[in-house]
Amino acid sequence: MLIELRPGTPADVAAEVAAQAGAHEDVTAWPVTLAGRTFVVVSGDESLARVPASPAVLARRPTPDGHWLVRRESGVAPREVTIGPSPGSGPPAAPGSPGQTTGATVGGPRLWWAAGPCALESAEDAVETALAVRAQGAHALRAGLSKTRSSPYNFPGKGVRGLAALAEVRRAAAIPVITEVCDPREVEAVAEVADCLQVDGRQLDNRPLLAELGAQPRPVLLMRGPRASVDDWLRAAEFVLARGNAAVVLCAGASGTPPQPGFGAIAALRAHTDLPVVFDPSHSTGSASLVAPASLAASAYGADGLLIESCVKPGRMYRPGDAAHMFPPESLADLVSACERARDSARSLAVPL
């Protein structure tokens, strides 16, 4: 349940409403501010929660399906999310460097895209890849520090041991970085380096992780699991918003059994939420040869961006299977240009609802 408070409610009054609503030992309540509006989030047995008779209370917002904040009608979920620092917000670029690291908007008029290796392995190769994708026009580098692998014998990522390397890649290439985090205890440290925190689809039920991400001032890229319904996906996003972080980007990929590219999820989300939606054509197809057609299809479906796997030296990867996903960096700009044309064509032919 959500209790919306009147505009201008002081923080101490919001805290008092939360204390009264969560007075029972089986109920927890806390205030959160999103899009300039203040809510008290009530978690637990709603029959034991008490909505105080306070003049600060504007409305009670029932949440029977487990997600209200992310829904379009709430007016809270943002249509645009910026990944990376705003222009001029960071220190001046060092002489001889590619320039200052600046962010870009997901959900704006232009197609946003990021590219890079599935996992951060060689720092040297990662810098070379970052420079290559930046030269092609990428808005961010993807490079996972932690991987939710399907086998205990596959490379799980460097974890927090790779933070220094990731920071060096970001600095050397002057590009925002997106990396994966799996352990809630590592979120704060990773957020100090990364511009966006990625959540693998197999972590959608990791509630402590989602809650910790909600407490960080970093955008969250929330991937859909192959067996997750759209409701499961939106409820996971709700966990992040309910802790105060509305900067959520949803990432579609493969779905079903056997997994197939889930383009329909893009359209399904559009019916429920304003949150920006991007597509991963690499994991959803498992083949570099299928990245281009999958990217074109996702763009035609209305994706706000693409998350592409690419590496300058895929043959050096620890897990050979990852190399099969890698799209050639030198072809990225042509691919994205074609995707923008496909998206524009589809929009011009759209039939009004």
Side-chain angles (χ1 to χ4, degrees), residues 237-319:
E238 188 88 357
F239 268 87
V240 180
L241 269 75
R243 291 291 178 174
N245 186 358
V248 173
V249 177
L250 301 171
C251 183
S255 62
T257 305
Q260 297 291 329
F263 305 118
I266 301 169
L269 286 171
R270 290 280 185 253
H272 296 289
T273 183
D274 279 333
L275 290 173
V277 185
V278 302
F279 187 80
D280 183 339
S282 303
H283 280 146
S284 64
T285 62
S287 171
S289 65
L290 296 176
V291 166
S295 298
L296 290 164
S299 300
Y301 264 88
D304 295 303
L306 299 168
L307 190 69
I308 306 169
E309 287 196 14
S310 185
C311 182
V312 291
K313 296 175 181 174
R316 287 164 50 127
M317 289 184 156
Y318 302 148
R319 182 172 181 263

Side-chain angles (χ1 to χ4, degrees), residues 80-94:
E80 299 181 358
V81 172
T82 298
I83 294 178
S86 58
S89 62

Side-chain angles (χ1 to χ4, degrees), residues 56-140:
V57 174
L58 176 64
R60 172 176 170 162
R61 308 292 186 189
T63 54
D65 54 7
H67 51 82
W68 185 84
L69 294 169
V70 300
R71 299 183 71 88
R72 178 173 294 112
E73 54 264 33
S74 76
V76 171
R79 181 66 189 91
E80 299 181 358
V81 172
T82 298
I83 294 178
S86 58
S89 62
S97 71
Q100 188 182 59
T101 304
T102 57
T105 298
V106 191
R110 297 294 304 276
L111 189 72
W112 176 94
W113 64 283
C118 177
L120 176 68
E121 296 180 5
S122 162
E124 180 182 344
D125 290 354
V127 169
E128 191 176 343
T129 297
L131 290 169
V133 303
R134 185 182 189 275
Q136 291 283 306
H139 299 114

